[in-house]
Amino acid sequence: MKRRHFLKSFTVGAAVASALSLGALQPAAAQTAAQNTIKVGVLHSLSGTMAISETVLKDVTLMAIDEINAKGGLLGKKLEPVVVDPASNWPLFAEKARQLLSQDKVAVTFGCWTSVSRKSVLPVFEELNGLLFYPVQYEGEELSKNVFYTGAAPNQQAIPAVEYLMSKEGGAAKRWVLLGTDYVYPRTTNKILRAFLKSKGVADKDIDEKYTPFGHSDYQTIVADVKKFAAGGKTAVISTINGDSNVPFYKELGNQGLKATDVPVVAFSVGEEELRGVDTKPLVGHLAAWNYFMSIKAPANDAFKKKWAAYAKAKKLPGADKPLTNDPMEAAYIGINMWAQAVTKAKTTDVDKVIAAMGGQTFTAPSGITSTMDPKNHHLHKAVFIGEVKADGQFNVVWKTKGPVKAQPWSPFIAGNDKKKDEPDGKTVIAK
Amino acid sequence: MRFLPLHGLMAVMTVCVALCLPASVLAALPQALIEKLALGENEDKIVAIGDVVTAADPEGLSFLQSMLNGEVQTVAEKKQVLIVRDGKAVDAVSGKEVAPIPEGAEDLTLNNRVRREIESAAAALKLVSTDRRARLTAAKALEGGADEGMLPILAKALEKEADPEIKALLLIIQASVQLKSSDAAVRLAAVKALAGSSSSSTKTVLLDLMEKKGDTWSEPDTAVRAEALISLEAVERRLVTGQRIGQVFSGASLGSILLLAALGLAITYGLMGVINMAHGELIMIGAYATYQVQNFFRSHMADWFNWYLLAAVPMAFIVSALVGMVLERVVIRFLYGRPLETLLATWGISLMLIQGVRTLFGAQNVQVENPVWMSGGVELLSNVVLPYSRIVIIGFSCVVLLLVWLALTRTRLGLFVRGVTQNRAIASCMGVHTARVDTWCFGLGSGIAGLAGCALSQIGNVGPDLGQSYIVDSFMVVVLGGVGQLAGTVYAALGLGVVNKFLEGWAGAVIAKIIVLVFIIIFIQKRPQGLFALKGRFADA
């Protein structure tokens, strides 16, 4: 009885004490935290159709933040991530971006996958003079002083891939199916590719453009149509399908027995992560073009993979039993590290000064090359790899460029682009 | 004494190894050839593959197979080529075992071009196999992939072949190679022979003949070109038949999915009149139940993993039915006869269920793996492959439909349900416990939604938002078919499926969806009661 009483009063006392101390300490702690940290926004869809691709980008950004913090942070302050979920909802991206910039006052934001989400947040970043690092390959046709593009521009991914498929080694394709999700990235990329193919003498009747809505899951007709089209001559499929639609698409390809040796499918938005959970044995030989593959043999890649595996295990991330890395993860990782270098160089997180310090930054990328941020055009110089799917869901590099390629955000295959300047228009204040 | 069996085993193994070793020593190909195949540039590889075919050497076939299976590893510095099976490496040249596997041994990588050559070569070499099925698969694989180097082996195979089906295929393959002959008469005969083909690769070959570059045709002879045009038409006719079959099948497949998704709603909305916006989420719960059963089988009964669906089907039904019955008891039954409130309440519930699942399982899609017997497909014609997963789902939806029909027409519960639907007051007067019937009926409808979820998990993505993409389609089917009618639902689902697929082939997925929606709006305006209206006094009660 006595004992129980004692226990009870002890618990109550402890609870009260902790409540009091929490109440008293919390504001102070929060205040000091606000002064001693640099806030970093993470703006990736953690639910909805794009979650399959974007969730790992959030995780790899957090991993890089942990890493920087473990080394003592930046300018003597720790980085404090602010993670928001725009839920694959494009207007919500803009809303969340505004919240990050005006409420949380983040110094920089890492985020977006689809071009439609980037287009949605772009006015917000320009209006509030924020800083966005965009880690995914995209269609180009854009250059904002407030954005750094660490993914590939069309000439760093799409064009080399098509050139490869046209070559003897790639199967000497003559007919082309341009298959994509219906939004700005696939439409613009296909516009560029169509112009490129025409410049190589491919007739309009040999190009078939097809679009499906976001989240489309029934690819029976599409695959049957591809088969039909392929009877007219050696055909290759260029897939710009995005998000979780890729799973039913590749399942259907496998089930209908469309083999890569007959009709190769090259994808620009499918990497190791998207193929997780798909039976890749029937898909052997289908291709993807990226600037990084998990299977690349390089010391920097081994280190990156090891770090990621350890992080995924420590944080008990879904799929930690089979940790996978992919190109956008690499691009996100390069982005945050380059930003950290630029902040160190500029000795401030002030957006304009960091932008000025970004040009010419270099980083040993996991893909095994030294990635350089172009001094002017806000894009990375990247090497291009083309990989074939292996039975275990990894990619086997069958072609690569000799070295890094400079990005051309304004594709020469779109009329009028030759007059555009290869640097953002905004008045970047260069202060030393 | 205790160890005797082990000794015995080891003895057997030694004998095995002893037996195998001489075999693999015999298997050795000339060293130069192996080095070319494994270490050469792609051009060298392709030449070497041609040599293997010309030699028609069975050992060459086994090495090519190893290359295709990814069993070949190479050590570039030592020019060593290994065949690695189950962690054991054998030197491909000497046939001796190499242990341990040397450091720096790398998998031999092939690209599509080389793989295509190897596949054709392997198929050509298998044409002389004694197994009929192996020969047939080989002949099918070779259509469109044969080249001149294979003519001798083709001739040999033709000489021996007794099976008419394979023989016909071989003749076509031979003809497609002979098209490259310099003798116009041979080409003419070949083009005529190709008219019997039903393969799309033949179409490609024939189209190539009629290609015009500048002023020169790729086929110089006019007579051959004219004959090629006739053959092309014959081939195309057959291909079109195949495409039609494929379209009808994919329409039936989409229809069966719509039917499964809408059948439960046909009961809860059609028969009971409850506008259940949470129907999609009941589908989603069924899919997650399947996911859980799959996980259970993977961790506890790995041997039976391929049959997890047999347990998942009842599980999905029960879980969704229970959720549905709880919903009915707790919320919906207080709202009977107030459609607007029901709509709002169930919509709220659907949001809660989505969020609940998101909290429990995470916002990302979960992976539901197909059992092995559901991957792949059956080849009906050369250009029509019917995937097993879709065949199974069509069959499954027929069975579910039959069971529901039996339940409604042949059981006491079904009788009560129909009675309550037609006239609640009279049924109650006759002693039917209407409230209980409502609960069971709602449970049945929800359970069928769960079955739909189980089926959908096999072909689509399973995520918290799964139901959202089916709720609109489900309502469309039920409303189009006519409320209160099972038969209407069936016709509407199949009709929508087939129409959608034909439109998709013609106008693309995005436009097809819009056209279907516009059609339904117009249809409902002209005929609000749907395809099949209930006749009688109770119809608008």
PDB file of all heavy atoms in Angstrom, chain B residues 405-430:
ATOM      1  N   TRP B 405     -25.011 -13.636 -57.839  1.00  0.00           N
ATOM      2  CA  TRP B 405     -26.318 -13.924 -58.412  1.00  0.00           C
ATOM      3  C   TRP B 405     -26.992 -15.052 -57.637  1.00  0.00           C
ATOM      4  O   TRP B 405     -28.166 -14.968 -57.272  1.00  0.00           O
ATOM      5  CB  TRP B 405     -26.153 -14.290 -59.886  1.00  0.00           C
ATOM      6  CG  TRP B 405     -27.434 -14.576 -60.586  1.00  0.00           C
ATOM      7  CD1 TRP B 405     -28.350 -13.657 -61.000  1.00  0.00           C
ATOM      8  CD2 TRP B 405     -27.949 -15.851 -60.922  1.00  0.00           C
ATOM      9  NE1 TRP B 405     -29.412 -14.296 -61.581  1.00  0.00           N
ATOM     10  CE2 TRP B 405     -29.190 -15.652 -61.551  1.00  0.00           C
ATOM     11  CE3 TRP B 405     -27.475 -17.164 -60.751  1.00  0.00           C
ATOM     12  CZ2 TRP B 405     -29.973 -16.710 -62.011  1.00  0.00           C
ATOM     13  CZ3 TRP B 405     -28.247 -18.214 -61.214  1.00  0.00           C
ATOM     14  CH2 TRP B 405     -29.491 -17.983 -61.837  1.00  0.00           C
ATOM     15  N   LEU B 406     -26.206 -16.094 -57.332  1.00  0.00           N
ATOM     16  CA  LEU B 406     -26.761 -17.199 -56.551  1.00  0.00           C
ATOM     17  C   LEU B 406     -27.202 -16.718 -55.178  1.00  0.00           C
ATOM     18  O   LEU B 406     -28.274 -17.078 -54.688  1.00  0.00           O
ATOM     19  CB  LEU B 406     -25.720 -18.315 -56.400  1.00  0.00           C
ATOM     20  CG  LEU B 406     -25.466 -19.163 -57.646  1.00  0.00           C
ATOM     21  CD1 LEU B 406     -24.386 -20.187 -57.367  1.00  0.00           C
ATOM     22  CD2 LEU B 406     -26.748 -19.857 -58.081  1.00  0.00           C
ATOM     23  N   ALA B 407     -26.368 -15.883 -54.558  1.00  0.00           N
ATOM     24  CA  ALA B 407     -26.688 -15.406 -53.211  1.00  0.00           C
ATOM     25  C   ALA B 407     -27.990 -14.601 -53.220  1.00  0.00           C
ATOM     26  O   ALA B 407     -28.795 -14.693 -52.288  1.00  0.00           O
ATOM     27  CB  ALA B 407     -25.547 -14.551 -52.671  1.00  0.00           C
ATOM     28  N   LEU B 408     -28.196 -13.829 -54.266  1.00  0.00           N
ATOM     29  CA  LEU B 408     -29.389 -12.981 -54.279  1.00  0.00           C
ATOM     30  C   LEU B 408     -30.649 -13.744 -54.698  1.00  0.00           C
ATOM     31  O   LEU B 408     -31.754 -13.374 -54.316  1.00  0.00           O
ATOM     32  CB  LEU B 408     -29.183 -11.797 -55.232  1.00  0.00           C
ATOM     33  CG  LEU B 408     -28.268 -10.696 -54.712  1.00  0.00           C
ATOM     34  CD1 LEU B 408     -28.169  -9.556 -55.700  1.00  0.00           C
ATOM     35  CD2 LEU B 408     -28.751 -10.161 -53.367  1.00  0.00           C
ATOM     36  N   THR B 409     -30.466 -14.777 -55.514  1.00  0.00           N
ATOM     37  CA  THR B 409     -31.665 -15.444 -56.019  1.00  0.00           C
ATOM     38  C   THR B 409     -31.946 -16.774 -55.339  1.00  0.00           C
ATOM     39  O   THR B 409     -33.067 -17.248 -55.333  1.00  0.00           O
ATOM     40  CB  THR B 409     -31.559 -15.704 -57.534  1.00  0.00           C
ATOM     41  OG1 THR B 409     -30.342 -16.410 -57.778  1.00  0.00           O
ATOM     42  CG2 THR B 409     -31.576 -14.403 -58.305  1.00  0.00           C
ATOM     43  N   ARG B 410     -30.934 -17.403 -54.773  1.00  0.00           N
ATOM     44  CA  ARG B 410     -31.139 -18.760 -54.281  1.00  0.00           C
ATOM     45  C   ARG B 410     -31.084 -18.886 -52.761  1.00  0.00           C
ATOM     46  O   ARG B 410     -31.303 -19.954 -52.234  1.00  0.00           O
ATOM     47  CB  ARG B 410     -30.092 -19.710 -54.891  1.00  0.00           C
ATOM     48  CG  ARG B 410     -30.189 -19.892 -56.383  1.00  0.00           C
ATOM     49  CD  ARG B 410     -31.309 -20.848 -56.740  1.00  0.00           C
ATOM     50  NE  ARG B 410     -31.281 -21.179 -58.157  1.00  0.00           N
ATOM     51  CZ  ARG B 410     -31.866 -20.416 -59.103  1.00  0.00           C
ATOM     52  NH1 ARG B 410     -32.504 -19.317 -58.774  1.00  0.00           N
ATOM     53  NH2 ARG B 410     -31.810 -20.786 -60.370  1.00  0.00           N
ATOM     54  N   THR B 411     -30.703 -17.823 -52.067  1.00  0.00           N
ATOM     55  CA  THR B 411     -30.589 -17.970 -50.612  1.00  0.00           C
ATOM     56  C   THR B 411     -31.692 -17.169 -49.914  1.00  0.00           C
ATOM     57  O   THR B 411     -32.333 -16.299 -50.508  1.00  0.00           O
ATOM     58  CB  THR B 411     -29.230 -17.448 -50.098  1.00  0.00           C
ATOM     59  OG1 THR B 411     -29.178 -16.048 -50.369  1.00  0.00           O
ATOM     60  CG2 THR B 411     -28.066 -18.134 -50.771  1.00  0.00           C
ATOM     61  N   ARG B 412     -31.875 -17.513 -48.639  1.00  0.00           N
ATOM     62  CA  ARG B 412     -32.888 -16.841 -47.849  1.00  0.00           C
ATOM     63  C   ARG B 412     -32.530 -15.359 -47.683  1.00  0.00           C
ATOM     64  O   ARG B 412     -33.390 -14.492 -47.793  1.00  0.00           O
ATOM     65  CB  ARG B 412     -32.953 -17.535 -46.482  1.00  0.00           C
ATOM     66  CG  ARG B 412     -34.297 -17.441 -45.856  1.00  0.00           C
ATOM     67  CD  ARG B 412     -34.398 -18.416 -44.688  1.00  0.00           C
ATOM     68  NE  ARG B 412     -35.544 -18.034 -43.870  1.00  0.00           N
ATOM     69  CZ  ARG B 412     -36.791 -18.263 -44.240  1.00  0.00           C
ATOM     70  NH1 ARG B 412     -37.061 -18.861 -45.370  1.00  0.00           N
ATOM     71  NH2 ARG B 412     -37.796 -17.881 -43.447  1.00  0.00           N
ATOM     72  N   LEU B 413     -31.216 -15.114 -47.470  1.00  0.00           N
ATOM     73  CA  LEU B 413     -30.790 -13.723 -47.321  1.00  0.00           C
ATOM     74  C   LEU B 413     -31.126 -12.938 -48.582  1.00  0.00           C
ATOM     75  O   LEU B 413     -31.651 -11.828 -48.515  1.00  0.00           O
ATOM     76  CB  LEU B 413     -29.279 -13.659 -47.047  1.00  0.00           C
ATOM     77  CG  LEU B 413     -28.707 -12.237 -46.997  1.00  0.00           C
ATOM     78  CD1 LEU B 413     -29.195 -11.492 -45.774  1.00  0.00           C
ATOM     79  CD2 LEU B 413     -27.198 -12.232 -47.052  1.00  0.00           C
ATOM     80  N   GLY B 414     -30.855 -13.570 -49.735  1.00  0.00           N
ATOM     81  CA  GLY B 414     -31.151 -12.904 -50.998  1.00  0.00           C
ATOM     82  C   GLY B 414     -32.618 -12.584 -51.128  1.00  0.00           C
ATOM     83  O   GLY B 414     -33.010 -11.483 -51.550  1.00  0.00           O
ATOM     84  N   LEU B 415     -33.439 -13.536 -50.709  1.00  0.00           N
ATOM     85  CA  LEU B 415     -34.891 -13.320 -50.769  1.00  0.00           C
ATOM     86  C   LEU B 415     -35.278 -12.126 -49.909  1.00  0.00           C
ATOM     87  O   LEU B 415     -36.029 -11.236 -50.328  1.00  0.00           O
ATOM     88  CB  LEU B 415     -35.594 -14.592 -50.281  1.00  0.00           C
ATOM     89  CG  LEU B 415     -37.116 -14.582 -50.350  1.00  0.00           C
ATOM     90  CD1 LEU B 415     -37.565 -14.665 -51.792  1.00  0.00           C
ATOM     91  CD2 LEU B 415     -37.692 -15.726 -49.540  1.00  0.00           C
ATOM     92  N   PHE B 416     -34.738 -12.094 -48.695  1.00  0.00           N
ATOM     93  CA  PHE B 416     -35.031 -10.976 -47.781  1.00  0.00           C
ATOM     94  C   PHE B 416     -34.557  -9.658 -48.393  1.00  0.00           C
ATOM     95  O   PHE B 416     -35.263  -8.653 -48.341  1.00  0.00           O
ATOM     96  CB  PHE B 416     -34.334 -11.189 -46.430  1.00  0.00           C
ATOM     97  CG  PHE B 416     -34.968 -12.262 -45.601  1.00  0.00           C
ATOM     98  CD1 PHE B 416     -34.318 -12.776 -44.485  1.00  0.00           C
ATOM     99  CD2 PHE B 416     -36.235 -12.754 -45.919  1.00  0.00           C
ATOM    100  CE1 PHE B 416     -34.905 -13.759 -43.716  1.00  0.00           C
ATOM    101  CE2 PHE B 416     -36.823 -13.746 -45.158  1.00  0.00           C
ATOM    102  CZ  PHE B 416     -36.150 -14.248 -44.048  1.00  0.00           C
ATOM    103  N   VAL B 417     -33.332  -9.693 -48.964  1.00  0.00           N
ATOM    104  CA  VAL B 417     -32.793  -8.459 -49.535  1.00  0.00           C
ATOM    105  C   VAL B 417     -33.722  -7.933 -50.612  1.00  0.00           C
ATOM    106  O   VAL B 417     -34.089  -6.764 -50.635  1.00  0.00           O
ATOM    107  CB  VAL B 417     -31.377  -8.693 -50.111  1.00  0.00           C
ATOM    108  CG1 VAL B 417     -30.924  -7.501 -50.947  1.00  0.00           C
ATOM    109  CG2 VAL B 417     -30.394  -8.954 -48.995  1.00  0.00           C
ATOM    110  N   ARG B 418     -34.121  -8.856 -51.498  1.00  0.00           N
ATOM    111  CA  ARG B 418     -34.998  -8.415 -52.573  1.00  0.00           C
ATOM    112  C   ARG B 418     -36.322  -7.910 -52.007  1.00  0.00           C
ATOM    113  O   ARG B 418     -36.873  -6.901 -52.441  1.00  0.00           O
ATOM    114  CB  ARG B 418     -35.219  -9.545 -53.573  1.00  0.00           C
ATOM    115  CG  ARG B 418     -34.020  -9.709 -54.513  1.00  0.00           C
ATOM    116  CD  ARG B 418     -34.231 -10.855 -55.468  1.00  0.00           C
ATOM    117  NE  ARG B 418     -34.279 -12.133 -54.780  1.00  0.00           N
ATOM    118  CZ  ARG B 418     -35.114 -13.133 -55.084  1.00  0.00           C
ATOM    119  NH1 ARG B 418     -35.971 -12.991 -56.071  1.00  0.00           N
ATOM    120  NH2 ARG B 418     -35.080 -14.258 -54.410  1.00  0.00           N
ATOM    121  N   GLY B 419     -36.829  -8.611 -51.015  1.00  0.00           N
ATOM    122  CA  GLY B 419     -38.085  -8.192 -50.400  1.00  0.00           C
ATOM    123  C   GLY B 419     -37.977  -6.806 -49.805  1.00  0.00           C
ATOM    124  O   GLY B 419     -38.805  -5.922 -50.060  1.00  0.00           O
ATOM    125  N   VAL B 420     -36.900  -6.580 -49.039  1.00  0.00           N
ATOM    126  CA  VAL B 420     -36.730  -5.284 -48.382  1.00  0.00           C
ATOM    127  C   VAL B 420     -36.561  -4.189 -49.423  1.00  0.00           C
ATOM    128  O   VAL B 420     -37.092  -3.089 -49.285  1.00  0.00           O
ATOM    129  CB  VAL B 420     -35.529  -5.327 -47.408  1.00  0.00           C
ATOM    130  CG1 VAL B 420     -35.240  -3.952 -46.843  1.00  0.00           C
ATOM    131  CG2 VAL B 420     -35.801  -6.306 -46.291  1.00  0.00           C
ATOM    132  N   THR B 421     -35.818  -4.517 -50.494  1.00  0.00           N
ATOM    133  CA  THR B 421     -35.609  -3.517 -51.548  1.00  0.00           C
ATOM    134  C   THR B 421     -36.938  -3.123 -52.175  1.00  0.00           C
ATOM    135  O   THR B 421     -37.213  -1.953 -52.409  1.00  0.00           O
ATOM    136  CB  THR B 421     -34.705  -4.098 -52.654  1.00  0.00           C
ATOM    137  OG1 THR B 421     -33.605  -4.706 -52.048  1.00  0.00           O
ATOM    138  CG2 THR B 421     -34.259  -3.020 -53.599  1.00  0.00           C
ATOM    139  N   GLN B 422     -37.757  -4.142 -52.432  1.00  0.00           N
ATOM    140  CA  GLN B 422     -38.991  -3.835 -53.149  1.00  0.00           C
ATOM    141  C   GLN B 422     -40.001  -3.113 -52.275  1.00  0.00           C
ATOM    142  O   GLN B 422     -40.629  -2.151 -52.690  1.00  0.00           O
ATOM    143  CB  GLN B 422     -39.572  -5.130 -53.718  1.00  0.00           C
ATOM    144  CG  GLN B 422     -38.719  -5.637 -54.865  1.00  0.00           C
ATOM    145  CD  GLN B 422     -39.208  -6.952 -55.424  1.00  0.00           C
ATOM    146  OE1 GLN B 422     -40.258  -7.455 -55.027  1.00  0.00           O
ATOM    147  NE2 GLN B 422     -38.455  -7.508 -56.333  1.00  0.00           N
ATOM    148  N   ASN B 423     -40.144  -3.577 -51.063  1.00  0.00           N
ATOM    149  CA  ASN B 423     -41.094  -2.888 -50.194  1.00  0.00           C
ATOM    150  C   ASN B 423     -40.734  -3.137 -48.738  1.00  0.00           C
ATOM    151  O   ASN B 423     -41.056  -4.175 -48.158  1.00  0.00           O
ATOM    152  CB  ASN B 423     -42.512  -3.361 -50.479  1.00  0.00           C
ATOM    153  CG  ASN B 423     -43.515  -2.364 -49.932  1.00  0.00           C
ATOM    154  OD1 ASN B 423     -43.301  -1.795 -48.864  1.00  0.00           O
ATOM    155  ND2 ASN B 423     -44.587  -2.153 -50.674  1.00  0.00           N
ATOM    156  N   ARG B 424     -40.073  -2.180 -48.192  1.00  0.00           N
ATOM    157  CA  ARG B 424     -39.533  -2.330 -46.846  1.00  0.00           C
ATOM    158  C   ARG B 424     -40.637  -2.580 -45.815  1.00  0.00           C
ATOM    159  O   ARG B 424     -40.532  -3.500 -44.988  1.00  0.00           O
ATOM    160  CB  ARG B 424     -38.725  -1.090 -46.478  1.00  0.00           C
ATOM    161  CG  ARG B 424     -38.099  -1.093 -45.119  1.00  0.00           C
ATOM    162  CD  ARG B 424     -37.208   0.103 -44.931  1.00  0.00           C
ATOM    163  NE  ARG B 424     -36.013   0.016 -45.782  1.00  0.00           N
ATOM    164  CZ  ARG B 424     -34.860  -0.509 -45.353  1.00  0.00           C
ATOM    165  NH1 ARG B 424     -34.754  -0.944 -44.130  1.00  0.00           N
ATOM    166  NH2 ARG B 424     -33.833  -0.586 -46.150  1.00  0.00           N
ATOM    167  N   ALA B 425     -41.752  -1.785 -45.915  1.00  0.00           N
ATOM    168  CA  ALA B 425     -42.805  -1.867 -44.903  1.00  0.00           C
ATOM    169  C   ALA B 425     -43.463  -3.241 -44.908  1.00  0.00           C
ATOM    170  O   ALA B 425     -43.624  -3.872 -43.849  1.00  0.00           O
ATOM    171  CB  ALA B 425     -43.833  -0.764 -45.162  1.00  0.00           C
ATOM    172  N   ILE B 426     -43.781  -3.715 -46.109  1.00  0.00           N
ATOM    173  CA  ILE B 426     -44.460  -5.008 -46.188  1.00  0.00           C
ATOM    174  C   ILE B 426     -43.535  -6.115 -45.702  1.00  0.00           C
ATOM    175  O   ILE B 426     -43.943  -7.002 -44.941  1.00  0.00           O
ATOM    176  CB  ILE B 426     -44.917  -5.286 -47.641  1.00  0.00           C
ATOM    177  CG1 ILE B 426     -46.000  -4.287 -48.063  1.00  0.00           C
ATOM    178  CG2 ILE B 426     -45.443  -6.709 -47.789  1.00  0.00           C
ATOM    179  CD1 ILE B 426     -47.323  -4.449 -47.361  1.00  0.00           C
ATOM    180  N   ALA B 427     -42.251  -6.017 -46.131  1.00  0.00           N
ATOM    181  CA  ALA B 427     -41.299  -7.031 -45.700  1.00  0.00           C
ATOM    182  C   ALA B 427     -41.232  -7.070 -44.184  1.00  0.00           C
ATOM    183  O   ALA B 427     -41.224  -8.138 -43.566  1.00  0.00           O
ATOM    184  CB  ALA B 427     -39.928  -6.724 -46.291  1.00  0.00           C
ATOM    185  N   SER B 428     -41.195  -5.904 -43.587  1.00  0.00           N
ATOM    186  CA  SER B 428     -41.147  -5.819 -42.134  1.00  0.00           C
ATOM    187  C   SER B 428     -42.391  -6.453 -41.522  1.00  0.00           C
ATOM    188  O   SER B 428     -42.314  -7.185 -40.537  1.00  0.00           O
ATOM    189  CB  SER B 428     -41.017  -4.353 -41.732  1.00  0.00           C
ATOM    190  OG  SER B 428     -40.887  -4.262 -40.348  1.00  0.00           O
ATOM    191  N   CYS B 429     -43.561  -6.197 -42.115  1.00  0.00           N
ATOM    192  CA  CYS B 429     -44.805  -6.770 -41.622  1.00  0.00           C
ATOM    193  C   CYS B 429     -44.783  -8.287 -41.679  1.00  0.00           C
ATOM    194  O   CYS B 429     -45.354  -8.969 -40.851  1.00  0.00           O
ATOM    195  CB  CYS B 429     -45.991  -6.272 -42.455  1.00  0.00           C
ATOM    196  SG  CYS B 429     -46.362  -4.562 -42.164  1.00  0.00           S
ATOM    197  N   MET B 430     -44.050  -8.811 -42.703  1.00  0.00           N
ATOM    198  CA  MET B 430     -43.987 -10.266 -42.859  1.00  0.00           C
ATOM    199  C   MET B 430     -43.025 -10.891 -41.867  1.00  0.00           C
ATOM    200  O   MET B 430     -42.799 -12.092 -41.900  1.00  0.00           O
ATOM    201  CB  MET B 430     -43.504 -10.614 -44.283  1.00  0.00           C
ATOM    202  CG  MET B 430     -44.426 -10.165 -45.369  1.00  0.00           C
ATOM    203  SD  MET B 430     -45.927 -11.118 -45.349  1.00  0.00           S
ATOM    204  CE  MET B 430     -46.787 -10.442 -46.741  1.00  0.00           C
TER     205      MET B 430
END
